[in-house]
Amino acid sequence: MRVVEGILDANDTIAAANRVDFDRDDVFVVNLMSSPGAGKTTLLERALPELDGVRPAVLEGDVRGSLDADRLASLHVPAVQLNTDPGFGGECHLDANMVRSAIPTLPLDEIDLLVIENVGNLVCPAEFRVGEDVRVMVSSVTEGEDKPLKYPLMFRACELVLVNKIDLLPHLDFDLAKFEYHLDSVHPGVERILISAKTGDGVDEWRDWLVRAATHERQPV
Amino acid sequence: MRVVEGILDANDTIAAANRVDFDRDDVFVVNLMSSPGAGKTTLLERALPELDGVRPAVLEGDVRGSLDADRLASLHVPAVQLNTDPGFGGECHLDANMVRSAIPTLPLDEIDLLVIENVGNLVCPAEFRVGEDVRVMVSSVTEGEDKPLKYPLMFRACELVLVNKIDLLPHLDFDLAKFEYHLDSVHPGVERILISAKTGDGVDEWRDWLVRAATHERQPV
């Protein structure tokens, strides 16, 4: 346990160094987390190209490949890929040091908002700060209403929950009221947006949240 | 890197000890893996209560809670819960030692098939053998067709892929042919079953696979 605490202390030290670099260029940083396939990249594709007066970039964390970075680059959103594959079979999360290694490749002086898209995983990403201002998670309604109870740290760690794929609600046995009840039981009153990247429901609200966060509501880590 | 290799070597040693215990009672062991919410428990609820002549039990791995074990117990399937929460914020996978700690609580001499339901995660569970005969993964079509490319180790590690929630295909932009192409690119020809826990499509095939595996096709780890 002492080893683990040591690792987390070291991580926090590096996260603070990242924070200094982000602050130097006044960049607001979002750590975006979810299960695999919950829709993180699609929600960024919808929101980032049309942010009112806010210049975004994305740091894409994936075990392997550059599929997501390529998707965003095709929309003219600056995107840098960070692969965790060099670890043993691939690290399941980003940590502060991995993000630190990518900082020299980021155009920090040309952007206002950096979204760090974490590896798809509901456990470890919540344990490692990377120097972000806020943490946002995406929870797809296809994953079931019990997820806050099974992964409480993740739901507790974030400042905003995007409840995604609500267009599928008519086809699922998903009780939205029960999900929100579970969510409030682990993180009372946490801000949430019901959203569908497919139909566009909630996308304006998500875009407004990002603009407001990046322009007014700076908070320290 | 040497530390990591040491951890994996130690894990394999304990996995082999688990294997000896399972073999003593002639129990066939499936390590079942997927993203959070892909449908592992529901597919077990559908298949396990009606296995022809095969007596099943389930070891449920979760960060917290006993929701899944309770669901299976209500169907009279023996289920033991293993929580990974005592780690720092919760371990994101089961390892051989965690499974070993649960063995005394399992009715090995009364069962033929043990399904170990891993923590929902597409990265680390594939890195830790636990003494299983085979590894099965569930990939829900709601997660997108790019998942084999983004989590290749997981798709490569398993002997069977259950492609779940196919009832939702009419409502998704999911190209099944493209998914299978990606799957074959990382694990050529791996066995797969298209399945829907909701409609029952593919459930007979999944049940038959389990019965066949547990009664005839014993393979060493």
Side-chain angles (χ1 to χ4, degrees):
Chain A
M1 200 59 194
R2 192 159 297 179
V3 173
V4 166
E5 285 169 8
I7 290 170
L8 291 177
D9 283 350
N11 185 74
D12 283 348
T13 301
I14 301 169
N18 293 348
R19 183 70 263 162
V20 170
D21 286 351
F22 298 142
D23 279 341
R24 187 178 303 121
D25 286 308
D26 205 24
V27 175
F28 186 83
V29 181
V30 174
N31 184 355
L32 185 63
M33 308 183 286
S34 79
S35 297
K40 294 185 296 304
T41 310
T42 309
L43 290 173
L44 294 178
E45 287 179 315
R46 292 288 180 277
L48 297 190
E50 297 170 51
L51 285 184
D52 191 24
V54 170
R55 299 164 301 169
V58 177
L59 179 61
E60 282 290 343
D62 277 302
V63 175
R64 187 175 295 184
S66 62
L67 293 167
D68 294 346
D70 296 345
R71 284 166 61 184
L72 289 158
S74 74
L75 296 171
H76 308 292
V77 173
V80 169
Q81 185 74 46
L82 182 58
N83 281 141
T84 69
D85 202 24
F88 62 117
E91 291 293 333
C92 63
H93 60 275
L94 295 179
D95 64 23
N97 200 43
M98 294 182 222
V99 169
R100 185 138 201 86
S101 73
I103 286 182
T105 66
L106 292 166
L108 293 182
D109 57 344
E110 296 167 16
I111 63 173
D112 308 298
L113 169 67
L114 175 67
V115 179
I116 299 174
E117 188 180 331
N118 220 307
V119 180
N121 180 351
L122 287 190
V123 187
C124 301
E127 295 164 2
F128 291 87
R129 287 278 185 182
V130 295
E132 71 276 49
D133 290 274
V134 297
R135 303 199 272 189
V136 175
M137 76 164 291
V138 183
S139 187
S140 161
V141 294
T142 59
E143 295 169 41
E145 65 234 356
D146 60 350
K147 289 301 156 295
L149 301 181
K150 295 180 77 171
Y151 302 91
L153 182 67
M154 174 61 75
F155 284 86
R156 203 173 284 140
C158 58
E159 279 80 23
L160 173 66
V161 178
L162 299 170
V163 185
N164 195 23
K165 306 192 190 178
I166 58 166
D167 58 288
L168 292 175
L169 282 175
H171 314 294
L172 300 172
D173 302 320
F174 181 90
D175 183 336
L176 186 59
K178 195 183 273 185
F179 172 82
E180 296 208 55
Y181 179 82
H182 292 157
L183 179 58
D184 282 320
S185 76
V186 301
H187 193 164
V190 61
E191 199 169 354
R192 66 211 67 180
I193 297 174
L194 304 183
I195 195 164
S196 164
K198 189 166 185 177
T199 64
D201 283 331
V203 170
D204 282 346
E205 198 179 341
W206 162 225
R207 205 180 277 129
D208 290 347
W209 191 95
L210 283 169
V211 170
R212 217 168 46 239
T215 52
H216 301 301
E217 299 177 7
R218 302 297 302 271
Q219 306 169 33
V221 171
Chain B
M1 201 58 193
R2 192 160 297 179
V3 173
V4 166
E5 284 169 9
I7 290 171
L8 291 178
D9 283 350
N11 185 73
D12 283 348
T13 301
I14 301 170
N18 293 348
R19 181 72 263 158
V20 169
D21 286 351
F22 298 142
D23 279 342
R24 187 178 303 120
D25 286 309
D26 206 24
V27 175
F28 185 82
V29 181
V30 174
N31 184 355
L32 184 63
M33 308 183 287
S34 80
S35 297
K40 294 186 295 303
T41 310
T42 308
L43 289 173
L44 294 179
E45 288 179 314
R46 294 288 180 278
L48 297 191
E50 298 168 52
L51 285 184
D52 192 24
V54 170
R55 299 164 300 169
V58 177
L59 179 60
E60 282 290 343
D62 277 303
V63 174
R64 187 174 295 185
S66 63
L67 294 167
D68 294 347
D70 296 346
R71 285 167 60 183
L72 289 158
S74 74
L75 297 171
H76 308 291
V77 173
V80 169
Q81 185 73 45
L82 183 58
N83 281 140
T84 68
D85 203 23
F88 62 116
E91 292 293 333
C92 64
H93 60 275
L94 296 179
D95 65 23
N97 201 42
M98 294 183 223
V99 169
R100 185 138 200 84
S101 72
I103 286 182
T105 67
L106 293 167
L108 293 182
D109 57 345
E110 296 167 16
I111 64 173
D112 309 299
L113 169 68
L114 175 67
V115 179
I116 299 174
E117 187 180 332
N118 221 306
V119 180
N121 180 350
L122 287 189
V123 186
C124 303
E127 295 163 3
F128 292 86
R129 286 279 186 183
V130 294
E132 71 275 48
D133 291 272
V134 296
R135 302 199 272 190
V136 174
M137 76 164 291
V138 183
S139 187
S140 161
V141 294
T142 59
E143 295 169 41
E145 65 235 354
D146 59 349
K147 289 301 156 295
L149 301 181
K150 295 180 77 171
Y151 302 91
L153 182 67
M154 174 61 73
F155 284 87
R156 203 173 284 141
C158 58
E159 279 80 23
L160 172 67
V161 178
L162 299 170
V163 185
N164 195 23
K165 306 192 190 179
I166 58 165
D167 58 287
L168 293 175
L169 281 175
H171 314 294
L172 300 172
D173 302 318
F174 180 91
D175 183 335
L176 187 59
K178 195 184 273 185
F179 173 82
E180 296 208 56
Y181 179 81
H182 291 158
L183 178 58
D184 283 320
S185 75
V186 300
H187 194 164
V190 62
E191 200 170 353
R192 66 210 68 180
I193 296 174
L194 305 182
I195 195 164
S196 164
K198 190 165 185 176
T199 64
D201 283 331
V203 169
D204 283 346
E205 198 179 341
W206 163 225
R207 206 181 277 128
D208 290 347
W209 191 94
L210 283 170
V211 170
R212 216 168 48 240
T215 52
H216 302 302
E217 299 178 7
R218 304 295 304 270
Q219 305 170 34
V221 171

